[in-house]
Amino acid sequence: MPLSNRRTLTQYLIEQRRRFPQASGALNALILDVALATKAIARSVSFGELGDPVGRQLVDAAKSHAPVVNVQGEAQKPLDVISNEIFLRTSEWGGHLAGMGSEEMEAPYQIPAQYQRGKYLLVFDPLDGSGNLDVNVSVGSIFSILRAPQEVIDSGRDRPQRDVCEADFLQPGSTQVAAGYAIYGPVTMLVLTVGHGVAGFTLDHNLGEFKLTHPDIRVPADTQEFAINSSNSRFWEPPVKRYVDECLAGKTGPRGKDFNMRWIASMVAEAHRILMRGGVFMYPKDTKDLGKPGRLRLLYEANPVGFIMEQAGGRASTGRRKVLEEVPTGLHQRIGLVFGSKNEVERIERYHAEYDAGTDKPYSSPLFNERSLYRPEALT
């Protein structure tokens, strides 16, 4: 399709809104605010070690950019702080939000009193994969839009307006109104769902606009590619070990085909690869830290990516059930996550079900058996 004929993000959202004549347009406006944030973050990321002077003005000029520890116990990089500020400043003023939640902030963010409040909640990971910035690997931003509880929406009409609290955000992923991510790679892309499939937009730097380049993204049901951090294998549950061992056994194993393994350590990049060509991503529950039943955050990582995968014909799961069915218990709750090509995710779920029921038959390959330097008869 000629570039001049490609629809912009604004045009796409207008078309989606026409499905619902009664819609106010507030959701469209909020998504465009988020898109503006991702453009600004893309600019800051592109400066790298040179530093973006405009982005740095968003943080206190007197604040040291030495790494600090955020609520997750992770060292913040300057771009983590800048990206978080960009999300807040571009989204707080429009009158569409009742409050926000961020990976970088312990408590919900209250909309400043000088701005009108709206009917939506925004949760986000402002810069996913920021640990890869030093090696110039693709990073991204993830976001999810929820409806605020009715009592929050109604407050301020006939009674004093109340601030949002953590409980307002604790909604299962199935209630998401929209979700998406931006990936800052060789090109900047915004991938979005508003509940009617998944569309991908590429940033046209000449116009400063996101153009529709991937109108109906679908995840292939089958794949020969998986992504997992194999350094954690000693902590995996048996169903995960079974699945990975079978994949590694290749054509001579029970799967009868060879698999490729990938690991980028940037979930946005992993999700994007899977959307483009299929695959399965696993960051499962393990025993590495019994106080953390998973690595990824449910509200602003697992849920939005899960919503996108489901809308693209894939599947997202905890390993035992759909992740979108999980009822959050905290703003920063962690969870195990498996997503991607539907048939592979369902196989992993089946392995977990068989293990829980005691009917599993773990695969054991001679390739991975213990070996000795001595002949068996020499040991007798």
Side-chain angles (χ1 to χ4, degrees):
M1 181 186 294
L3 183 61
S4 59
N5 292 334
R6 296 191 188 277
R7 288 171 288 169
T8 66
L9 173 62
T10 302
Q11 291 170 324
Y12 173 85
L13 290 173
I14 289 172
E15 290 178 354
Q16 293 298 311
R17 182 187 169 192
R18 285 172 179 161
R19 298 171 180 264
F20 307 96
Q22 74 280 9
S24 66
L27 178 61
N28 286 13
L30 174 55
I31 292 172
L32 291 175
D33 287 343
V34 171
L36 178 61
T38 65
K39 294 176 190 177
I41 294 170
R43 181 183 186 277
S44 290
V45 168
S46 70
F47 275 86
E49 286 298 312
L50 296 174
D52 176 11
V54 175
R56 289 180 182 272
Q57 291 174 7
L58 292 172
V59 296
D60 187 350
K63 182 177 180 179
S64 169
H65 284 302
V68 295
V69 176
N70 65 11
V71 65
Q72 313 294 335
E74 301 165 343
Q76 284 182 318
K77 293 180 177 292
L79 273 172
D80 287 320
V81 179
I82 290 171
S83 300
N84 191 67
E85 288 295 307
I86 288 172
F87 258 94
L88 298 179
R89 303 300 163 237
T90 56
S91 304
E92 66 184 0
W93 65 276
H96 315 303
L97 287 173
M100 290 183 262
S102 167
E103 179 184 19
E104 303 300 330
M105 304 173 70
E106 182 174 4
Y109 179 80
Q110 307 298 335
I111 302 302
Q114 66 266 32
Y115 299 132
Q116 180 180 341
R117 299 189 189 186
K119 61 183 179 179
Y120 295 110
L121 301 171
L122 176 67
V123 288
F124 54 88
D125 180 350
L127 196 60
D128 176 73
S130 59
N132 286 317
L133 287 168
D134 293 343
V135 292
N136 204 21
V137 169
S138 296
V139 295
S141 302
I142 314 173
F143 65 92
S144 169
I145 298 174
L146 303 161
R147 285 188 178 86
Q150 194 62 43
E151 63 182 83
V152 174
I153 298 171
D154 290 341
S155 70
R157 294 177 180 173
D158 55 359
R159 60 181 184 274
Q161 194 170 50
R162 81 160 173 87
D163 288 342
V164 293
C165 62
E166 182 172 335
D168 296 329
F169 293 83
L170 305 184
Q171 305 177 34
S174 58
T175 66
Q176 291 176 99
V177 178
Y181 66 79
I183 182 168
Y184 314 120
V187 297
T188 295
M189 283 191 66
L190 178 70
V191 174
L192 174 71
T193 180
V194 291
H196 299 281
V198 178
F201 304 82
T202 301
L203 183 59
D204 181 344
H205 290 280
N206 291 325
L207 298 177
E209 291 278 1
F210 279 111
K211 292 289 193 71
L212 181 63
T213 50
H214 299 72
D216 186 20
I217 299 174
R218 304 295 295 175
V219 178
D222 294 295
T223 186
Q224 292 180 233
E225 196 165 87
F226 69 98
I228 194 167
N229 183 355
S230 60
S231 69
N232 290 328
S233 61
R234 65 194 184 279
F235 304 113
W236 294 341
E237 291 185 298
V240 177
K241 291 181 181 179
R242 174 187 175 186
Y243 178 81
V244 174
D245 284 350
E246 289 183 357
C247 291
L248 293 176
K251 288 182 179 179
T252 61
R255 301 301 306 275
K257 61 181 181 180
D258 290 330
F259 282 77
N260 291 321
M261 185 169 71
R262 300 285 185 262
W263 185 252
I264 305 175
S266 168
M267 192 176 72
V268 163
E270 303 277 9
H272 193 69
R273 185 190 65 249
I274 289 170
L275 281 172
M276 293 297 106
R277 70 186 192 198
V280 62
F281 170 92
M282 292 173 280
Y283 216 134
K285 175 184 176 182
D286 59 35
T287 60
K288 186 175 184 179
D289 185 344
L290 296 178
K292 296 177 180 178
R295 167 70 176 174
L296 301 174
R297 270 63 60 148
L298 174 59
L299 277 173
Y300 43 81
E301 291 180 327
N303 275 345
V305 169
F307 190 25
I308 291 167
M309 289 294 155
E310 297 276 349
Q311 285 292 314
R315 189 168 177 85
S317 172
T318 65
R320 289 178 166 85
R321 55 189 167 274
K322 291 178 65 172
V323 73
L324 298 184
E325 296 174 351
E326 290 288 322
V327 178
T329 58
L331 188 61
H332 301 289
Q333 178 185 348
R334 296 174 185 259
I335 198 166
L337 182 63
V338 177
F339 66 77
S341 294
K342 184 177 181 181
N343 291 342
E344 293 301 307
V345 177
E346 289 180 342
R347 175 183 288 268
I348 295 168
E349 288 177 319
R350 176 163 59 84
Y351 286 4
H352 279 84
E354 291 174 357
Y355 172 73
D356 292 343
T359 60
D360 61 322
K361 297 179 180 179
Y363 174 68
S364 178
S365 169
L367 179 65
F368 304 105
N369 284 349
E370 293 184 4
R371 289 176 169 81
S372 171
L373 294 174
Y374 302 99
R375 291 178 298 173
E377 58 268 23
L379 299 177
T380 60

